[in-house]
Amino acid sequence: MAYLLPHLNSGWEVDQAILTEEDRVVVIRFGRDADPICMIQDEVLMSIAEKVKNFAVVYLVDIEEVPDFNGMYELYDPCSTMFFYRNKHIMVDLGTGNNNKINWALVDKQEMIDIIETVYRGARKGRGLVVSPKDYSTKYQY
């Protein structure tokens, strides 16, 4: 389903997407298009793209095709989803310890919409770090 979402094919395109979007959150999925985890994430992003179009725009970046950001954003996971607003990286406290990105596939569409909406509301108020509506730490899974 990755072909249904816009791809950014160079470092310049990624920069322009982040720089030029004034009023919406830029959601970028960094990963490999053929990776099964990315395919799951792409399916979720594709299904919610229409619902969040008023406050977010979704792009995909293949980290093998565009390796420019791999070192800068530590993109070593199979799939990483990051958020930007007005040329600023917005961090999300998910309870996992890594606030820079979501590095797993979120399969629940409503959870992803809630996170994007939380990022949007916090970023509009000038916050660089927002707290996720759900805690994804493993402390309750034992």
Side-chain angles (χ1 to χ4, degrees):
M1 291 308 219
Y3 58 88
L4 294 173
L5 289 168
H7 274 71
L8 302 174
N9 299 313
S10 68
W12 184 82
E13 286 183 20
V14 174
D15 283 339
Q16 289 305 304
I18 294 169
L19 284 167
T20 57
E21 190 59 58
E22 287 290 323
D23 300 322
R24 297 186 293 177
V25 172
V26 178
V27 181
I28 301 180
R29 191 276 292 148
F30 291 97
R32 293 171 188 85
D33 291 342
D35 189 281
I37 296 171
C38 278
M39 288 180 181
I40 294 167
Q41 185 66 57
D42 292 348
E43 184 90 26
V44 172
L45 291 171
M46 189 266 313
S47 66
I48 68 165
E50 187 66 25
K51 294 176 183 150
V52 299
K53 70 179 181 185
N54 291 333
F55 57 91
V57 59
V58 179
Y59 294 108
L60 307 180
V61 176
D62 192 313
I63 58 174
E64 289 178 345
E65 190 180 325
V66 186
D68 308 27
F69 303 97
N70 294 358
M72 185 190 321
Y73 294 133
E74 299 173 359
L75 302 172
Y76 309 123
D77 303 300
C79 182
S80 300
T81 307
M82 298 181 73
F83 306 95
F84 300 88
Y85 185 76
R86 293 188 179 162
N87 195 25
K88 186 177 179 193
H89 175 218
I90 306 299
M91 296 185 287
V92 183
D93 183 359
L94 299 155
T96 60
N98 183 358
N99 296 341
N100 294 320
K101 58 189 178 266
I102 300 173
N103 55 0
W104 68 90
L106 263 175
V107 292
D108 190 312
K109 296 171 188 168
Q110 189 57 50
E111 284 180 18
M112 185 54 115
I113 291 171
D114 292 346
I115 290 172
I116 295 171
E117 190 174 352
T118 302
V119 168
Y120 175 70
R121 289 176 186 220
R124 269 197 25 217
K125 294 176 184 173
R127 296 192 176 103
L129 172 68
V130 298
V131 179
S132 166
K134 181 181 175 189
D135 187 2
Y136 291 92
S137 67
T138 58
K139 70 180 178 182
Y140 300 115
Q141 295 180 357
Y142 298 113

